[in-house]
């Protein structure tokens, strides 16, 4: 109990949250479960994947209760996209029995106005999250709006089995190292010949 009055009744005490929290996405008997598939497709560790699924459920709670449109983080959106492919489960069980309403995915139409709208909507979603759950959204899953709609959209998904990925700083230092080595060899060869 807080000093100013009765305890705050956060989302986790509601019937909707209890249904969401106990809900398992996809058939439990599948050889490749929903969490395993989500982890594989995004190259996430199992622990991170479990946390993303919990955050997806929290996003769904907000989508149903906020009274306004909400915008997911990229990681949460990946869980939502995959869940939509389990169409019988998504529409027949999740929307009908768990959410008790339809929840449609509306992608952006593109352009500056849409970017601004989704930026503002995402920032509001982070505020709604904190109000509903009594804590800020975890930043490794829900980055700030500046990152979500500034830096992150420039990212691409790659298969690490096909390419080598280096941090920009490491690549630049490596390039300077190779140039220095080449100049050094040229100087030595030039001196010898």
């Amino acid at each position: 109990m807080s000093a100013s009055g009765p305890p705050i009744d956060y989302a986790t005490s509601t019937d909707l949250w209890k249904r969401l929290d106990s809900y398992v996405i996809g058939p439990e008997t599948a050889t490749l479960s929903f969490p395993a598939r989500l982890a594989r497709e995004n190259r996430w560790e199992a622990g991170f994947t479990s946390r993303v699924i919990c955050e997806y459920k929290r996003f769904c709670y907000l989508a149903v209760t906020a009274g306004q449109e909400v915008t997911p983080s990229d990681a949460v959106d990946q869980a939502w996209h995959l869940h939509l492919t389990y169409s019988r489960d998504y529409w027949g069980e999740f929307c009908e029995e768990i959410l008790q309403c339809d929840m449609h995915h509306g992608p952006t139409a593109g352009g500056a106005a849409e970017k601004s709208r989704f930026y503002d909507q995402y920032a509001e979603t982070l505020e709604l999250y904190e109000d509903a759950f009594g804590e800020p959204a975890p930043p490794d899953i829900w980055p700030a709006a500046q990152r979500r709609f500034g830096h992150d959209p420039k990212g691409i998904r790659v298969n690490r089995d096909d390419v080598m990925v280096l941090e920009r700083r490491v690549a630049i230092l490596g390039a300077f190292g190779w140039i220095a080595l080449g100049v050094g060899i040229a100087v030595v060869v030039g001196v010898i010949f």
Side-chain angles (χ1 to χ4, degrees):
M1 179 164 13
S2 68
S4 62
I8 297 172
D9 195 19
Y10 289 115
T12 53
S13 65
T14 66
D15 288 339
L16 172 58
W17 177 253
K18 290 173 185 169
R19 288 192 308 270
L20 280 163
D21 192 39
S22 64
Y23 171 68
V24 176
I25 302 172
E28 294 182 63
T29 58
T31 303
L32 183 62
S33 67
F34 179 84
R37 186 171 170 198
L38 185 62
R40 182 188 72 182
E41 291 185 7
N42 290 280
R43 303 209 180 266
W44 293 336
E45 297 293 327
F48 183 78
T49 303
S50 294
R51 291 179 53 235
V52 168
I53 291 169
C54 179
E55 294 304 317
Y56 168 59
K57 291 176 179 182
R58 285 182 168 207
F59 167 75
C60 293
Y61 177 89
L62 293 174
V64 170
T65 62
Q68 66 185 62
E69 289 186 343
V70 291
T71 297
S73 68
D74 182 65
V76 169
D77 203 33
Q78 293 308 309
W80 192 7
H81 288 186
L82 182 58
H83 193 189
L84 284 163
T85 67
Y86 290 66
S87 60
R88 284 186 183 89
D89 178 76
Y90 184 84
W91 294 109
E93 183 177 352
F94 185 65
C95 288
E96 191 169 316
E97 297 173 23
I98 305 301
L99 300 181
Q100 298 178 348
C101 66
D102 289 346
M103 189 171 90
H104 294 277
H105 189 291
T108 181
E114 282 283 279
K115 182 176 180 180
S116 177
R117 179 174 78 92
F118 279 104
Y119 180 99
D120 292 344
Q121 204 168 275
Y122 181 76
E124 290 171 11
T125 300
L126 294 177
E127 291 175 14
L128 291 166
Y129 182 107
E130 192 163 352
D131 290 345
F133 296 103
E135 61 189 9
D140 60 331
I141 297 173
W142 292 90
Q146 299 89 328
R147 177 157 181 106
R148 169 76 167 94
F149 290 96
H151 179 75
D152 283 356
K154 295 177 184 167
I156 59 169
R157 300 191 196 296
V158 296
N159 186 328
R160 292 187 192 183
D161 292 336
D162 298 333
V163 298
M164 182 187 311
V165 179
L166 298 174
E167 290 182 31
R168 182 181 303 273
R169 180 182 56 81
V170 172
I172 290 170
L173 289 174
F176 280 125
W178 281 105
I179 291 169
L181 179 62
V183 168
I185 291 171
V187 168
V188 169
V189 170
V191 169
I192 294 175
F193 294 106

